[in-house]
Amino acid sequence: MTRDRKNLIVLGQEIRRLRKERLLSQNELADRASLSRNFISLVERGERSISVMTILDIAEALGVEPAALFKGYGAA
C-alpha cells in the first residue's frame, strides 16, 4: 500500500470517527456538506482523494476546524 493511500485512509477514518461521534449518518453528513452519500462512503474508506474545498465543506458540516480532520496524518 502506498503512503498516499495510507494517508487517505487515515483522513477517512477521522472523518468517520467525527461523524459517528456526532451521531450522524453518511446521508446526514452528505446533506450538510452538499455531497452525495456515495462520495462520503468513498472518502471514509480512503478510496477518494478530495479537494481543499471539500475538506472545508466536510469540516463545516461536522462543526470542526479543518485541521481536526488530519489527526493522525503522517502516522500511517
Side-chain angles (χ1 to χ4, degrees):
M1 184 180 304
T2 68
R3 181 174 161 224
D4 290 344
R5 173 85 166 111
K6 288 179 184 177
N7 285 321
L8 287 176
I9 290 170
V10 170
L11 175 63
Q13 288 173 338
E14 187 60 18
I15 290 170
R16 178 182 288 131
R17 186 190 72 74
L18 289 166
R19 175 180 60 78
K20 288 185 173 188
E21 186 177 89
R22 285 151 180 74
L23 305 175
L24 296 172
S25 69
Q26 287 181 340
N27 281 329
E28 290 168 322
L29 176 57
D31 286 346
R32 289 180 181 201
S34 299
L35 301 166
S36 73
R37 189 217 47 89
N38 186 55
F39 184 80
I40 294 294
S41 176
L42 290 169
V43 169
E44 287 186 355
R45 293 193 318 263
E47 295 178 6
R48 183 61 73 101
S49 182
I50 59 177
S51 72
V52 172
M53 293 309 299
T54 301
I55 289 168
L56 296 174
D57 290 340
I58 290 172
E60 183 177 340
L62 290 169
V64 298
E65 293 294 321
L69 302 181
F70 294 97
K71 182 179 176 184
Y73 177 79

